[in-house]
Amino acid sequence: MTDSRPSSAIQAIVLLAEPPADMGVVLSAIQPGMGDPLAGTPLLPAFGLTVNGADLRIGAFGGAVTNDRLRADLSVSPMREHLDPHVAAHRGAVTLEIAPPTSGFFGPMVTWANVLAYLVDNLGAKVVWLPQQRTVTTDVLFIGEMERDPALVLAGVHAMWLDQAAGTSLAFSAGLHGLGSPEVQIRRSGEPALLYRHLRLALADCLRADRLLAVGDVLDVGGVHHEAVDGVSLTSGLPVLELVPAAAPAPRAEPAQAAAPAEPEKKRRRWPFG
């Protein structure tokens, strides 16, 4: 399978040791019996279905995925050593796509991710490729994160040393553009792994709230408030939102208090005697 077509859809590709027997097997991996009407039908490159109101498109292929982007994403995966043999040996693939929702995106995107998890689990896949996130991961990590917090699966983040001698790291998102948002980047002192975790958790919170960042927005990253400003990606040269420490709010001036009225002079009590 060779696929270099640009697509506006958000896509996932599941790599399989062997291609599914037919299209019915693929659909029944989502829900038992779903594929019965297509039993015996040859694999299809695209088949539309609606799940929980989300419009999805699923496809299945025989043969290996030959794509330069897959090799590039695999080369930077922290799980490369484990994934390499499975990628090299795979002989089939299933794709799952969703058109970017224009509003209220979190629910449909979680449905897409849940369907993907069923495909991965029930088809015995070992490799999940998320092209928009530039991520190649294992079945165990993908399903584990889905069970813990689906928002994490939707928040693609990468991190690296920016200047190791100075102890400065860079973390940046990948995949937010598919939802209609600019990508974001942040540079800060500390280990890349910690900055990766902090940015990923912060973006997951945004996605869970159906929130996309824009210039001027403030985001809590690892307990520090950051403001989104226009920036340029240090890795691609494209426009991004740069997260910079937000200015501390100016101390509120205490409202001027009017002078208390002078207490009237107390009249001296006159005693009747003496």
Side-chain angles (χ1 to χ4, degrees), residues 7-34:
S7 173
S8 61
I10 297 172
Q11 185 183 57
I13 301 176
V14 177
L15 305 187
L16 303 171
E18 298 293 337
D22 56 45
M23 205 62 195
V25 170
V26 175
L27 294 181
S28 289
I30 301 171
Q31 181 177 337
M34 179 183 283

Side-chain angles (χ1 to χ4, degrees), residues 208-227:
R208 202 180 297 109
D210 278 325
R211 177 189 174 201
L212 296 177
L213 291 176
V215 171
D217 286 348
V218 174
L219 185 66
D220 185 327
V221 182
V224 179
H225 286 92
H226 288 73
E227 182 180 356

Side-chain angles (χ1 to χ4, degrees), residues 188-211:
R188 208 166 70 182
S189 60
E191 294 276 343
L194 184 61
L195 189 55
Y196 163 88
R197 180 175 180 272
H198 285 167
L199 180 58
R200 199 170 184 220
L201 290 173
L203 292 179
D205 286 342
C206 283
L207 296 175
R208 202 180 297 109
D210 278 325
R211 177 189 174 201

Side-chain angles (χ1 to χ4, degrees), residues 10-12 56-59 94-98 112 115-116 119:
I10 297 172
Q11 185 183 57
L56 310 178
R57 187 169 66 173
I58 191 169
V94 169
T95 62
L96 185 67
E97 297 182 351
I98 182 172
W112 169 81
V115 170
L116 181 59
L119 290 169

Side-chain angles (χ1 to χ4, degrees), residues 4 16 27 40 50 75-76 93 100 103 106 125-126 162 174 183 188 191 240 260 270-271:
S4 58
L16 303 171
L27 294 181
T50 301
S75 71
V76 296
S103 63
F106 185 65
K126 299 298 181 186
L162 190 60
E183 301 295 350
R188 208 166 70 182
E191 294 276 343
V240 295
R270 294 182 182 273
W271 295 101

Side-chain angles (χ1 to χ4, degrees), residues 47-270:
F47 182 84
L49 68 157
T50 301
V51 179
N52 293 338
D55 293 327
L56 310 178
R57 187 169 66 173
I58 191 169
F61 305 84
V65 176
T66 55
N67 189 306
D68 290 340
R69 290 177 58 202
L70 171 59
R71 288 189 286 272
D73 293 347
L74 178 62
S75 71
V76 296
S77 172
M79 299 299 295
R80 177 179 179 177
E81 185 175 343
H82 176 81
L83 290 165
D84 259 334
H86 298 293
V87 173
H90 84 278
R91 294 296 178 265
V94 169
T95 62
L96 185 67
E97 297 182 351
I98 182 172
T102 55
S103 63
F105 58 83
F106 185 65
M109 290 304 303
V110 169
T111 294
W112 169 81
N114 269 319
V115 170
L116 181 59
Y118 279 113
L119 290 169
V120 171
D121 193 25
N122 293 327
L123 292 176
K126 299 298 181 186
V127 182
V128 183
W129 180 31
L130 305 171
Q132 278 86 358
Q133 296 187 20
R134 295 157 58 183
T135 295
V136 186
T137 188
T138 68
D139 57 320
V140 174
L141 287 177
F142 179 82
I143 292 174
E145 288 191 334
M146 273 300 302
E147 292 176 345
R148 187 165 74 252
D149 183 359
L152 291 174
V153 172
L154 308 178
V157 171
H158 301 267
M160 63 182 70
W161 283 112
L162 190 60
D163 185 339
Q164 189 167 5
T168 307
S169 299
L170 170 72
F172 54 94
S173 69
L176 293 182
H177 65 280
L179 297 172
S181 168
E183 301 295 350
V184 302
Q185 72 178 15
I186 181 173
R187 36 188 148 177
R188 208 166 70 182
S189 60
E191 294 276 343
L194 184 61
L195 189 55
Y196 163 88
R197 180 175 180 272
H198 285 167
L199 180 58
R200 199 170 184 220
L201 290 173
L203 292 179
D205 286 342
C206 283
L207 296 175
R208 202 180 297 109
D210 278 325
R211 177 189 174 201
L212 296 177
L213 291 176
V215 171
D217 286 348
V218 174
L219 185 66
D220 185 327
V221 182
V224 179
H225 286 92
H226 288 73
E227 182 180 356
V229 301
D230 286 321
V232 176
S233 169
L234 298 179
T235 58
S236 69
L238 297 174
V240 295
L241 293 177
E242 178 104 20
L243 297 175
V244 300
R252 290 191 307 170
E254 292 296 329
Q257 293 185 354
E263 185 177 357
E265 185 178 352
K266 293 182 179 178
K267 291 183 179 180
R268 185 170 297 177
R269 181 180 296 273
R270 294 182 182 273

